Amino acid sequence: MIKYLLKEMATRLCLVFLVVWLALPRVSAGSSILTFAFSEASPPYSSSSDGRAAGLFPDLVQLAFSFIPEYTTESVVLPWSRAQYNVRHGVTDGLLTYPSMERQGYAIFSALPLFTQDFGHLVYSAENPNIDVIESATSFADLSGLTVIVERGSKWEEDNIPGYLARVPGPHLNTMMHLLMLREAGDFMVQPAEDARFAARQLGYSNKLKVRKVDFIPNSQIPFHIGVSRELPFARSLRGRSVLSKCLRRAESRLCPRV
């Protein structure tokens, strides 16, 4: 899955990385290493493998900075709340995430996303007693008597799932799937279909997993942007022209194809 997604995005990487550059500070000798923080428990996007960052998101960030030789990157894996806290306070330099208003307060984000997820799906159990309500709903209002399981600290869910819905939080998707399928602590989740199927398969819930595509979830196409901490020295300085000319010169190469 990861190799396929990287290959599919190759034709747009050059344009994205031009914009990523605009978020970066000027660097001097000895100051070009940026440390990115990733969630330790969000496979296949990011996870901890023998204490090291693994998954699509670390690979994408590493690939992004291969276009910008003035910078190198290192990765750390942490609980997601800690990862965000560290970037907010400049303990680590960057992340790849949805640029919520709160996060824009402590990080500068690239103008174009590096990755997009489709959150326009309701995920639920075939054994849920409220299945008829879930499968006939044409709005969140139709689900107002039900409970949604959410990811603790998810800014997108805070912004886009109405506050009148009862919530049960979980620290990451695997726990959320257990809450939904095993403990029956809630009625549904809002997740990308591929994420739900991946987690259900890993946890043994595929036989009763139900996924429904709906059109009433606002901002369901979730952009993930590279962000760098505003605590970095000179984080507000912009450098667009030099990388633009470099990338244009590479336009015929396999690293930076035309888009």
Side-chain angles (χ1 to χ4, degrees), residues 63-119:
L63 182 57
F65 283 90
S66 72
F67 287 83
I68 307 174
E70 290 83 355
Y71 288 85
T72 58
T73 62
E74 295 180 349
S75 300
V76 295
V77 281
L78 302 163
W80 183 231
S81 58
R82 172 59 62 176
Q84 296 173 87
Y85 177 91
N86 284 359
V87 173
R88 178 192 293 272
H89 295 281
V91 178
T92 48
D93 300 315
L95 36 60
L96 176 62
T97 191
Y98 166 65
S100 66
M101 293 302 295
E102 179 182 349
R103 290 178 183 138
Q104 290 181 48
Y106 62 80
I108 299 173
F109 288 91
S110 60
L112 292 179
L114 198 59
F115 180 75
T116 302
Q117 285 181 316
D118 181 4
F119 270 71

Side-chain angles (χ1 to χ4, degrees), residues 143-170:
L143 302 169
S144 60
L146 305 186
T147 298
V148 58
I149 296 174
V150 298
E151 181 179 0
R152 185 177 294 117
S154 169
K155 301 306 177 184
W156 179 86
E157 290 179 328
E158 291 178 10
D159 292 345
N160 293 286
I161 297 179
Y164 57 74
L165 287 173
R167 283 165 157 78
V168 172

Side-chain angles (χ1 to χ4, degrees), residues 27-74:
V27 297
S28 58
S31 63
S32 60
I33 298 175
L34 297 176
T35 301
F36 277 77
F38 299 95
S39 169
E40 66 181 6
S42 299
Y45 302 104
S46 67
S47 59
S48 178
S49 177
D50 296 324
R52 302 179 64 181
L56 177 63
F57 285 0
D59 287 351
L60 281 176
V61 169
Q62 183 179 21
L63 182 57
F65 283 90
S66 72
F67 287 83
I68 307 174
E70 290 83 355
Y71 288 85
T72 58
T73 62
E74 295 180 349

Side-chain angles (χ1 to χ4, degrees), residues 183-201:
R183 296 182 58 186
E184 300 179 355
D187 296 288
F188 69 96
M189 302 188 294
V190 177
Q191 289 288 326
E194 60 272 17
D195 296 45
R197 293 186 179 112
F198 177 87
R201 185 170 61 252

